[in-house]
Every structure is written in structure tokens, then in C-alpha cells.
């Protein structure tokens, strides 16, 4: 007896996520194995929206109060990218 389909083939693929959410019955083994997948995609969506708000709102709110000297926006953008790079390296 051989196992030519390891456990990672039992997870829902991103292309099948919507049909899984609509059609999966709570009593099936497929649902029990994959019930975290829709939750993870939902959390990813919420994280993307929250990140976009954090990056977009401050310039919109502070746009008129930022100093007018040349280079201020570049300075802020530089430190934004340094912080994002640090977070990406630490998470990785």
C-alpha cells in the first residue's frame, strides 16, 4: 500500500475557496480538515484592509499640516520603508 497523496493535498486550494465556503457541510471530513482555511483568508483580508488604512490615512489627515520644506515627504517615505523592511525581515 502506498500513499501517493500526502496530507497537504487534502486542503482547499485558493481557487476552490468560494465553492468550499458555500457547499461544505459541517459534518463532512473535508470541512473538519479545512475549517481554518476560510478563517485564515478572512484574517488576511482584514489585515490587508487595516494595513492600507494605516498607510493611507495619516498622509490624508496630516497632508496640510506637513512641513513644506523639500524632502520631507521623501524623508517620511524612507522611514516607512525602513520600518516595513524590518518587519518583513523579522517575520521571515
Amino acid at each position: 500500500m502506498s500513499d501517493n497523496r500526502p496530507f497537504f493535498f487534502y486542503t482547499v486550494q485558493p481557487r476552490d475557496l468560494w465553492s468550499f465556503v458555500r457547499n461544505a457541510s459541517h459534518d463532512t471530513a473535508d470541512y473538519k480538515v479545512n475549517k481554518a482555511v476560510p478563517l485564515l483568508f478572512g484574517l488576511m483580508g482584514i489585515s490587508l484592509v487595516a494595513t492600507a488604512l494605516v498607510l493611507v490615512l495619516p498622509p490624508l489627515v496630516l497632508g496640510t499640516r506637513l512641513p513644506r520644506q523639500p524632502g520631507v515627504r521623501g524623508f517620511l517615505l524612507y522611514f516607512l520603508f525602513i520600518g516595513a523592511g524590518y518587519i518583513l525581515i523579522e517575520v521571515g
Side-chain angles (χ1 to χ4, degrees):
M1 187 170 168
S2 70
D3 185 11
N4 61 356
R5 288 185 50 90
F7 70 93
F8 49 83
F9 287 115
Y10 293 122
T11 59
V12 174
Q13 301 297 317
R15 66 179 177 267
D16 302 326
L17 183 64
W18 185 249
S19 64
F20 172 76
V21 170
R22 287 188 335 190
N23 300 326
S25 171
H26 292 278
D27 299 329
T28 62
D30 189 37
Y31 178 79
K32 291 175 183 172
V33 169
N34 294 304
K35 64 183 173 183
V37 174
L39 176 68
L40 290 175
F41 276 98
L43 287 174
M44 184 176 67
I46 291 170
S47 297
L48 289 173
V49 168
T51 302
L53 285 175
V54 165
L55 292 176
V56 169
L57 277 179
L60 291 177
V61 172
L62 298 174
T64 59
R65 290 184 282 189
L66 287 175
R68 297 282 181 207
Q69 291 90 10
V72 170
R73 292 187 192 272
F75 179 77
L76 293 175
L77 195 61
Y78 172 75
F79 280 100
L80 176 102
F81 285 132
I82 284 182
Y86 176 78
I87 290 170
L88 290 173
I89 294 296
E90 286 298 315
V91 167

